[in-house]
Amino acid sequence: MLHRTATLLAAAAAPTRTHLPTHTATARRTFAAASADTPMRVAFIGLGNMGLHMASNLVKAGFHVTGFDLSDKAVHALEAVGGYAASGVKEMAARADATITMLPSSPHVQEVYTGENGILSGASPSAVLLDASTIEPAVARAVNAAAKASGVSGGVSDVPVSGGVGGAAAGTLTFMAGGDADAIARAQPLLDVMGGRTVHCGESGAGQVAKVCNNLVLGISMIGVCEAMNLGRKLGMDPHVMAGIFNTSTARCWSSDTYNPVPGVMEGVPASRDYEGGFGVDLMAKDLSLAVAAAHQAKAPLPLGGSTLQVYNMLSEAGYGRKDFGSVYKFLQGKKPDDKM
């Protein structure tokens, strides 16, 4: 994940390896900029929990992927699966047919695209630019407008995702896309590798609107599942039995049947590994703050959304910021982040 945007843009961009990976039969060559015998060149900026999996899937599908992140460990992980490292942004974007960003927040996205050594200072007019971050819809629209003003014909498509780290690893993410239909169509070979579904939500910013609303529901539903599971446990109910009832009744939801927050109920979810390696509390709080801000701007009542944001803020203050957002269950039991369950 990128924490210091100024450092990112100050770095000189020069790939550390120059040989191409062996491309597979599934390698995509659909962009005009890629010849019939050359894999499409993709620049991927932001190799966090989500971005690294997404970039790795592109490598495995035969794309030539150059990655950048301030974490050397993340870059080395991409290299380990056949990707390439770059030391900066401008030149890697200039050499790419497509550039994808997966960044923490609106200021990161603005600076990485529009900064002095940012993507738009190097991208070609025909480049496909995809931002998979979750940011303010207004910022998505502003960055798209800046890209078009700089001469990039398709602008920047906002393509935030749903599906979590598991979906990123499996290549089954849902992309909520906003922007020009032609630009999104050109990017479809990339999106098809990283995800299982792409929904064109409308014009620039519409993808972010869909994502903010989706995560508003997700944040609220997770707290509901955690409260109910904790109540059932305190009243003597076996969590496995309770989850089975939820998952076959009107309480059924993704937070219960796919991502259950109670340790021991499901394998392969963050709750099974002390809430590590999932969607962090701080990230959920960030997304909910976007929803609250958008609701304020639109004068839309958001009583549950506001209260939900406060719950995740309380968890963050209690030291749960980097834990998966399902750790609400642990918090409700009065435990500290490092306490054993």
Side-chain angles (χ1 to χ4, degrees):
M1 185 174 289
L2 301 173
H3 300 289
R4 302 183 304 279
T5 313
T7 303
L8 187 156
L9 292 177
T16 59
R17 303 196 299 180
T18 58
H19 58 282
L20 291 175
T22 301
H23 60 271
T24 68
T26 57
R28 271 57 177 179
R29 306 184 189 91
T30 57
F31 286 21
S35 74
D37 298 318
T38 305
M40 185 195 308
R41 293 177 175 269
V42 180
F44 205 111
I45 302 166
L47 303 172
N49 287 339
M50 299 287 290
L52 178 58
H53 287 303
M54 295 162 70
S56 296
N57 283 337
L58 291 172
V59 172
K60 293 170 187 176
F63 293 98
H64 181 282
V65 181
T66 301
F68 183 87
D69 196 282
L70 294 183
S71 166
D72 290 339
K73 181 179 179 180
V75 174
H76 293 330
L78 181 66
E79 289 183 291
V81 297
Y84 300 88
S87 58
V89 172
K90 180 178 179 179
E91 283 77 11
M92 68 185 290
R95 297 174 182 179
D97 304 309
T99 297
I100 303 170
T101 49
M102 188 59 151
L103 302 168
S105 65
S106 296
H108 292 90
V109 172
Q110 285 180 300
E111 187 65 19
V112 166
Y113 276 93
T114 66
E116 182 179 356
N117 294 307
I119 293 167
L120 298 185
S121 66
S124 70
S126 62
V128 166
L129 305 180
L130 302 173
D131 179 40
S133 317
T134 299
I135 61 172
E136 300 169 56
V139 171
R141 296 182 186 112
V143 170
N144 175 65
K148 291 192 171 185
S150 74
V152 178
S153 60
V156 179
S157 301
D158 48 293
V159 290
V161 304
S162 178
V165 176
T172 58
L173 295 168
T174 293
F175 287 93
M176 293 158 272
D180 292 355
D182 288 347
I184 294 167
R186 291 182 65 219
Q188 200 62 56
L190 297 165
L191 300 175
D192 285 345
V193 168
M194 298 183 290
R197 186 176 184 225
T198 300
V199 180
H200 187 199
C201 301
E203 296 181 353
S204 177
Q208 296 297 346
V209 171
K211 176 60 186 289
V212 165
C213 293
N214 181 81
N215 276 22
L216 172 63
V217 173
L218 178 61
I220 292 171
S221 69
M222 178 57 82
I223 291 176
V225 171
C226 289
E227 288 188 349
M229 293 293 286
N230 187 52
L231 174 61
R233 183 190 65 84
K234 285 183 174 292
L235 293 175
M237 178 69 75
D238 182 333
H240 292 84
V241 175
M242 180 67 76
I245 293 169
F246 285 6
N247 298 343
T248 55
S249 70
T250 53
R252 184 179 182 182
C253 62
W254 187 88
S255 295
S256 179
D257 70 8
T258 304
Y259 207 79
N260 197 281
V262 180
V265 169
M266 296 183 69
E267 295 296 325
V269 296
S272 69
R273 50 181 184 268
D274 196 26
Y275 304 101
E276 297 293 339
F279 185 60
V281 165
D282 284 345
L283 289 175
M284 176 55 79
K286 185 264 291 187
D287 288 1
L288 288 169
S289 70
L290 294 177
V292 169
H296 178 74
Q297 190 175 42
K299 294 181 168 47
L302 214 66
L304 281 181
S307 298
T308 299
L309 173 58
Q310 293 310 309
V311 171
Y312 289 108
N313 282 341
M314 283 193 298
L315 263 73
S316 184
E317 286 295 317
Y320 280 83
R322 292 184 178 274
K323 293 286 189 181
D324 179 75
F325 75 115
S327 61
V328 169
Y329 180 79
K330 187 174 184 178
F331 177 77
L332 291 173
Q333 295 183 43
K335 294 184 179 293
K336 295 180 180 179
D338 295 329
D339 289 347
K340 297 296 183 183
M341 291 292 288

